[in-house]
Amino acid sequence: MNPNPYNPSCLLYGPLDARFEDRPIPTLDNNPHDVLIRIAYTGVCGSDVHFWLHGGIRTYVSPTHPLTMGHEASGIIHAIGTAVTTLQPGDKVSIEPGYPCRRCTSCKSGRYNLCPEMKFAADPPFVHGTLTKYFRVPADFCYKVPECIKLEEAVLIEPLAVAVHAVRLANVRPGQKVVVCGAGTVGLFCAVVAREFGASVVVSVDVVEGRVGFARGFVGGGGGRGVVMGRDLGVEGNVERILDEGGLRDNGGADVVIDASGAEMAVQTGVFVLKKGGTYVQAGMGKRMMDFPIAEMCEKEIVAKGCFRYGAGDFDLGVDLVRRGRVVLQGLISRVFPFEEATEAWDAARWGEGIKMVIEGPR
């Protein structure tokens, strides 16, 4: 019996309508392969901001179906199911916040991120998220945190896994020149993971000068470059700027472009920046319909790929990169908010006040 029967949670009822309530504590009675986690921290993602402002993205919360927010999370194992052997109470973990059915064609082919029955944290209308005290998840979707990673930094393993997935899809190879559009958390991680995969030049592109400056130092290794896109330059002007300032002209353009912004101008610019035969990966979630330069893609015979969350091995590789010091998490967290100030954290992220906002779990 849990000595504390309460499970404080932050629920979204609609746009700009968040409420703090107690929800039932998940049980392990009929879930022998699951663990119960005492949430330590939850990171703020761009999708959280969209939910806060609009109540959802494709599916929406409602007063009759409010939803506990949050999916980038870390915590401490509180209890384990009877079949769990890999974790013990007290273990510090980073959480992969979605688990699949394990039976469908996508799961059996190794692409479980495409499972139609995926239960992903904070997914309306029924799957609650991690802005709560106790959260249940299968044990194999928890990753032990090495001593070198603080629990507040462990929330960053989730966006790092997104970046690992994108770079693996792009098949970045040694010596290639890579452009990453967007220098938010995922974009920064895409850039540094591309460097780890052997890219000789990584150009971080963003419309915010401060983010570009941070990216130059964060990527490091001598190949980190940054270009500030001009909102008034248009696609053609920004292509010229990236080719010149990124040192890509002699290469005929970039070998790989990864868009981590979802912004229409960045998507269009990225395709035109690519060399013939290059690879384009869309990692940022933008609006459902936008103008895409199809003719350019055809004439250059570009390989274009969508990218959705993460799959087998992505979290493991992310943790390993941090453990070996190849990806440094220090300095990415701009501010930690108390649980009761979750909405302030979303607003801070909305206005671009830093790189990553983090919310403490209930005390």
Side-chain angles (χ1 to χ4, degrees):
M1 177 69 69
N2 193 309
N4 184 354
Y6 302 109
N7 195 24
S9 306
C10 179
L11 287 87
L12 190 68
Y13 278 75
L16 303 177
D17 184 6
R19 309 177 197 179
F20 295 90
E21 302 173 1
D22 280 324
R23 296 191 64 254
I25 296 176
T27 67
L28 299 176
D29 296 342
N30 298 313
N31 302 278
H33 296 280
D34 289 2
V35 296
L36 193 64
I37 301 171
R38 171 81 180 258
I39 295 296
Y41 298 93
T42 293
V44 177
C45 172
S47 63
D48 297 324
V49 176
H50 202 90
F51 267 67
W52 172 230
L53 297 177
H54 306 289
I57 298 178
R58 292 179 178 81
T59 53
Y60 294 82
V61 303
S62 70
T64 56
H65 289 99
L67 196 75
T68 307
M69 293 291 290
H71 64 274
E72 300 178 358
S74 65
I76 299 172
I77 300 295
H78 180 75
I80 61 175
T82 56
V84 175
T85 60
T86 56
L87 296 168
Q88 294 295 327
D91 286 345
K92 299 177 181 179
V93 295
S94 175
I95 302 168
E96 183 171 352
Y99 57 95
C101 75
R102 308 175 192 262
R103 300 180 300 274
C104 68
T105 301
S106 292
C107 286
K108 293 171 74 173
S109 67
R111 304 180 74 183
Y112 69 79
N113 57 316
L114 304 181
C115 174
E117 296 182 30
M118 173 68 74
K119 291 179 173 59
F120 197 82
D123 187 12
F126 302 117
V127 185
H128 289 277
T130 61
L131 269 177
T132 186
K133 189 170 186 177
Y134 297 104
F135 184 76
R136 187 183 68 209
V137 71
D140 55 330
F141 282 78
C142 295
Y143 301 82
K144 285 187 181 180
V145 175
E147 288 300 319
C148 63
I149 305 178
K150 299 177 182 178
L151 269 176
E152 59 264 37
E153 295 172 342
V155 303
L156 294 165
I157 299 298
E158 195 269 355
L160 176 56
V162 175
V164 168
H165 192 63
V167 174
R168 291 173 74 178
L169 281 173
N171 192 27
V172 173
R173 300 186 299 278
Q176 288 189 321
K177 296 185 178 182
V178 177
V179 170
V180 178
C181 296
T185 309
V186 171
L188 289 169
F189 282 143
C190 284
V192 76
V193 173
R195 180 204 66 192
E196 285 305 299
F197 274 53
S200 60
V201 172
V202 181
V203 184
S204 296
V205 178
D206 203 290
V207 294
V208 180
E209 187 171 356
R211 285 187 170 185
V212 172
F214 185 92
R216 289 192 188 101
F218 184 71
V219 176
R225 303 177 185 178
V227 177
V228 180
M229 289 183 68
R231 298 178 189 272
D232 57 341
L233 287 179
V235 172
E236 184 175 346
N238 280 304
V239 169
E240 296 302 311
R241 176 177 287 184
I242 294 169
L243 292 175
D244 288 334
E245 296 184 16
L248 302 173
R249 284 202 182 274
D250 292 343
N251 195 54
D255 298 287
V256 171
V257 168
I258 300 173
D259 178 74
S261 73
E264 187 165 0
M265 185 170 71
V267 170
Q268 295 168 351
T269 300
V271 173
F272 281 95
V273 161
L274 273 169
K275 67 185 295 185
K276 292 182 178 180
T279 299
Y280 178 89
V281 172
Q282 185 62 45
M285 296 287 282
K287 61 183 181 181
R288 296 187 71 87
M289 298 293 289
M290 65 171 65
D291 290 332
F292 188 87
I294 296 294
E296 188 74 8
M297 186 181 77
C298 293
E299 292 168 3
K300 288 183 175 180
E301 203 165 282
I302 288 168
V303 175
K305 297 181 178 181
C307 175
F308 189 56
R309 294 176 182 156
Y310 21 71
D314 295 329
F315 264 78
D316 290 309
L317 181 53
V319 171
D320 185 62
L321 287 170
V322 177
R323 179 188 292 112
R324 292 188 291 113
R326 305 308 302 173
V327 174
V328 178
L329 304 181
Q330 186 177 2
L332 289 175
I333 296 176
S334 304
R335 186 175 171 188
V336 178
F337 290 77
F339 177 72
E340 296 77 13
E341 296 179 11
T343 59
E344 285 87 341
W346 298 334
D347 278 332
R350 172 189 179 186
W351 299 115
E353 298 176 13
I355 302 297
K356 174 62 70 175
M357 305 298 163
V358 172
I359 303 167
E360 288 183 304
R363 296 182 179 179

